[in-house]
Amino acid sequence: MARIIGGIATSHSPTIAFAQDAHKENDPAWAPIFEGFGPVKKWLAEKKPDVLFYIYNDHITSFFFDHYSHFALGIGEEYPPADEGGGVRHIPTIKGHPKLAEHIAFGLVADEFDLSYFQGKGMDHGAFSPLSMMMKHEGEWEYPIVPLQVGVLEVPVPSAKRCYKLGQSLRKAIMSYPEDLKVVIVSTGGLSHQVHGERSGYNNEPWDRQFLDMITDDPVRLSEITIADYVRLGGQEGAEVIMWLIMRGALSANVKKVHQSYYLPTMTGLATLVLEDQSIDPPADTLDAIRDHMLAQYKGIDKLEGNYPYTVSRMAKSFRVNTFLHALIKPEHRRRFKEDLEGLFTEWKLTEEERKMIRNHEWQNMIHYGVCFFMLEKMGAVIGTSNLHIYAAMAGKPIEEFLKTRNAPGALYSVAAEVPKKFTTAEDSQHDVPEAVVAK
């Protein structure tokens, strides 16, 4: 079983990354930042976790206001640093852990936390600013992560209590993971600061220090504080410290504090905190009950033949080819798809298996591979193939036989904006289709 060995909480101000990238460790104004992270890095090196569950918020870099959710779980195989407007930091891409992410997703959703899932997105200073201070990353990062992006910028945001309860659910999910993993929970954000409006520059050091004591000893009381009071005490942007409650909720009730630091150099109170979990392993039947609860909604679904749910692990595996086909919503990509398919394959670095399936219209094989049907529908619209031809191929039947099973056997359609003439009459249902379309 997986074990939560401890939690780390840290500020994520871009000043942290600046101090590191500018080599300010010997500058008296910046040295306290390095001193605060030194024990964190040492603790991680001693404990050697297998994975970090990493809680942060994006600063409208990869998550824009066109789709902004409360809890976005990273399910991808890797996460690059994001360009925040001034170029990309010279740090490597960090690996993810899709298998653990999927297990956690089942656990949180079973406890009625509504998640969105992401991959293929860069992470900004909210993640990488403190992360690059915590562990070695020359060439590659020491540990993979499962990131959770929390939407704390567009009001209404999750409550402090909601974050604490999510942490408690997260604990059950991780501890019920069947493989032996050592997991550290990391939360970022804060402490007091405000960076907009007439209140810009607001700080509250007494509140910061009180918060550091309470997150260790009285997290339940912190979970009862309103967002308005978090803003009043710590600034509008400083209210992001509610993310620390996810980490604290995932730990045992009693914890051991092994490190704490605080420094207010400029706009943000910078803090680090390391807590060690003090719980004993739960009995096996308790873990079995948690797993049964997590999968209750899906019991028996694996027994259905010819059914392939779009699980987060399948979507992580097939993300590249799904992204390639999704890009068919863009006119220039459609043009290249029809005029220079092989060149497009090369640019997107598709594998030979992926190229063959698309080139030969192997609809069923693409489904088996993890391609979402609605990507096939888009491809069909581009190449002039009706949805019914795709359905027939997946059912393993010639189009003529498949149409006889429909109540309106002459109805052919696709999502193409311009209706092809060959789809408009029953007689046209007999038109030729490439041999590869019919599944063998």
Side-chain angles (χ1 to χ4, degrees):
M1 57 168 273
R3 294 180 57 248
I4 297 173
I5 60 175
I8 295 171
T10 169
S11 305
H12 63 213
S13 167
T15 56
I16 300 168
F18 169 79
Q20 184 178 47
D21 294 348
H23 305 289
K24 295 286 188 179
E25 55 268 28
N26 296 319
D27 186 321
W30 299 95
I33 299 176
F34 294 86
E35 293 165 4
F37 276 96
V40 179
K41 189 173 184 178
K42 181 181 178 182
W43 183 80
L44 280 173
E46 291 173 351
K47 296 299 180 181
K48 293 181 171 56
D50 296 296
V51 61
L52 309 182
F53 186 86
Y54 202 86
I55 303 146
Y56 78 107
N57 75 278
D58 175 86
H59 298 80
I60 318 302
T61 304
S62 296
F63 295 82
F64 190 60
F65 296 128
D66 57 347
H67 189 150
Y68 195 77
S69 55
H70 279 183
F71 301 113
L73 182 68
I75 62 169
E77 295 180 346
E78 61 180 24
Y79 305 93
D83 188 332
E84 299 185 56
V88 179
R89 284 184 71 198
H90 300 298
I91 54 176
T93 292
I94 192 167
K95 292 181 180 179
H97 199 302
K99 192 174 180 181
L100 178 61
E102 181 178 52
H103 183 85
I104 289 171
F106 274 105
L108 295 181
V109 171
D111 284 348
E112 300 185 349
F113 286 94
D114 300 323
L115 301 177
S116 61
Y117 308 112
F118 76 91
Q119 55 184 321
K121 290 182 178 294
M123 301 196 307
D124 69 4
H125 71 264
F128 279 118
S129 187
L131 194 60
S132 58
M133 278 284 201
M134 287 186 211
M135 60 167 135
K136 297 176 183 178
H137 53 275
E138 293 74 20
E140 64 179 10
W141 297 87
E142 289 183 277
Y143 319 111
I145 65 170
V146 174
L148 179 72
Q149 198 284 137
V150 184
V152 294
L153 295 181
E154 187 172 26
V155 176
V157 303
S159 68
K161 181 169 290 187
R162 187 71 170 156
C163 289
Y164 189 61
K165 288 183 176 180
L166 189 147
Q168 293 174 319
S169 178
L170 175 65
R171 179 180 182 82
K172 293 189 299 179
I174 291 175
M175 295 186 74
S176 66
Y177 187 71
E179 296 181 18
D180 290 332
L181 291 179
K182 292 192 294 183
V183 182
V184 171
I185 313 297
V186 183
S187 275
T188 73
L191 296 182
S192 68
H193 66 291
Q194 181 146 336
V195 297
H196 80 274
E198 290 77 12
R199 211 175 179 222
S200 179
Y202 175 83
N203 297 108
N204 186 346
E205 183 171 341
W207 162 243
D208 287 346
R209 295 189 180 278
Q210 182 182 356
F211 178 84
L212 287 169
D213 290 338
M214 292 179 70
I215 195 70
T216 302
D217 300 324
D218 197 4
V220 173
R221 177 69 187 96
L222 285 179
S223 75
E224 295 167 347
I225 297 176
T226 67
I227 297 299
D229 278 339
Y230 273 105
V231 172
R232 177 177 61 81
L233 291 165
Q236 181 68 51
E237 286 75 27
E240 67 191 10
V241 292
I242 60 173
M243 293 188 291
W244 287 35
L245 283 163
I246 300 177
M247 176 276 293
R248 189 61 184 88
L251 301 185
S252 53
N254 296 315
V255 293
K256 178 184 177 182
K257 182 190 292 186
V258 298
H259 168 69
Q260 177 180 308
S261 72
Y262 180 81
Y263 179 51
L264 178 57
T266 174
M267 290 291 289
T268 304
L270 303 181
T272 58
L273 178 68
V274 179
L275 303 175
E276 289 185 353
D277 195 271
Q278 299 294 292
S279 65
I280 60 175
D281 294 343
D285 57 350
T286 298
L287 297 178
D288 288 340
I290 292 172
R291 295 185 193 108
D292 288 344
H293 166 69
M294 290 169 56
L295 300 175
Q297 292 289 330
Y298 300 92
K299 187 176 182 179
I301 197 171
D302 56 326
K303 303 286 194 299
L304 297 173
E305 293 186 7
N307 188 57
Y308 309 94
Y310 303 121
T311 61
V312 295
S313 58
R314 291 186 75 219
M315 291 302 99
K317 170 182 176 286
S318 59
F319 181 67
R320 179 181 54 248
V321 67
N322 273 300
T323 304
F324 176 82
L325 293 173
H326 180 260
L328 291 170
I329 65 174
K330 300 176 181 179
E332 177 59 19
H333 192 77
R334 288 198 296 272
R335 183 190 67 78
R336 291 285 308 283
F337 189 90
K338 290 188 282 188
E339 297 177 4
D340 183 24
L341 183 58
E342 298 303 321
L344 208 53
F345 283 158
T346 300
E347 289 178 20
W348 281 70
K349 300 179 180 179
L350 297 190
T351 67
E352 184 52 44
E353 181 182 9
E354 292 165 344
R355 298 180 188 202
K356 176 177 174 291
M357 290 187 296
I358 295 172
R359 191 187 291 126
N360 297 334
H361 309 159
E362 297 175 9
W363 310 112
Q364 186 70 308
N365 287 340
M366 284 191 271
I367 291 291
H368 291 166
Y369 189 79
V371 177
C372 174
F373 165 75
F374 300 102
M375 302 306 107
L376 307 188
E377 184 177 58
K378 291 171 176 56
M379 178 176 160
V382 172
I383 65 176
T385 295
S386 79
N387 281 32
L388 275 295
H389 283 86
I390 300 173
Y391 303 147
M394 290 190 294
K397 297 180 179 180
I399 184 64
E400 298 84 358
E401 290 185 21
F402 186 77
L403 287 174
K404 291 176 183 178
T405 69
R406 306 298 95 191
N407 290 332
L412 298 177
Y413 59 86
S414 77
V415 294
E418 301 295 331
V419 180
K421 183 178 179 182
K422 62 187 178 184
F423 293 171
T424 59
T425 67
E427 288 75 14
D428 287 330
S429 68
Q430 308 303 317
H431 74 274
D432 293 335
V433 182
E435 184 75 15
V437 169
V438 181
K440 297 295 191 288

